[in-house]
Amino acid sequence: MGPASETSQLDVERVAGIAVVSAARSGGYAAIGGTTLARQILSAVDEMTPPQRLAAGEVIGQALIESDHLPDLKTQVIGELWIRDLELTVWHVLHADRR
């Protein structure tokens, strides 16, 4: 594995880690003024290249299939839907802060 592959893998793992943490805590972000974290999450997702987003979706989808027992769904589809949900959640946090 070359340096580019290692960097890409670390980026995917970082994004997947951020995604898991943010999902676990998303309900409390608006309540505690988590706009800084929401901006960081949205920025990290926005900076992903299409291959990084696909790879993150695969990693996240695989974890969800294993934990939620959804073997009949494709990991990439589940992961992409989860990333979209993450984006929407942080958008709601940012939008709620503007009110």
Side-chain angles (χ1 to χ4, degrees):
M1 187 182 298
S5 296
E6 290 173 10
T7 301
S8 179
Q9 182 63 28
L10 291 175
D11 290 345
V12 169
E13 289 175 1
R14 186 181 121 231
V15 169
I18 289 170
V20 170
V21 170
S22 62
R25 299 185 177 185
S26 63
Y29 284 159
I32 63 169
T35 56
T36 300
L37 183 55
R39 287 181 199 281
Q40 291 173 347
I41 292 167
L42 196 57
S43 177
V45 173
D46 184 49
E47 291 174 5
M48 284 192 292
T49 64
Q52 288 172 329
R53 187 176 177 111
L54 287 172
E58 187 68 32
V59 169
I60 294 166
Q62 187 62 43
L64 290 172
I65 283 177
E66 291 171 4
S67 66
D68 292 341
H69 309 292
L70 302 168
D72 54 330
L73 299 173
K74 292 183 178 180
T75 57
Q76 182 55 46
V77 172
I78 293 171
E80 177 60 28
L81 290 172
W82 196 92
I83 291 171
R84 288 181 194 175
D85 185 49
L86 172 66
E87 290 170 320
L88 187 58
T89 299
V90 296
W91 169 248
H92 284 290
V93 170
L94 294 173
H95 185 66
D97 187 60
R98 296 177 131 202
R99 293 182 190 180

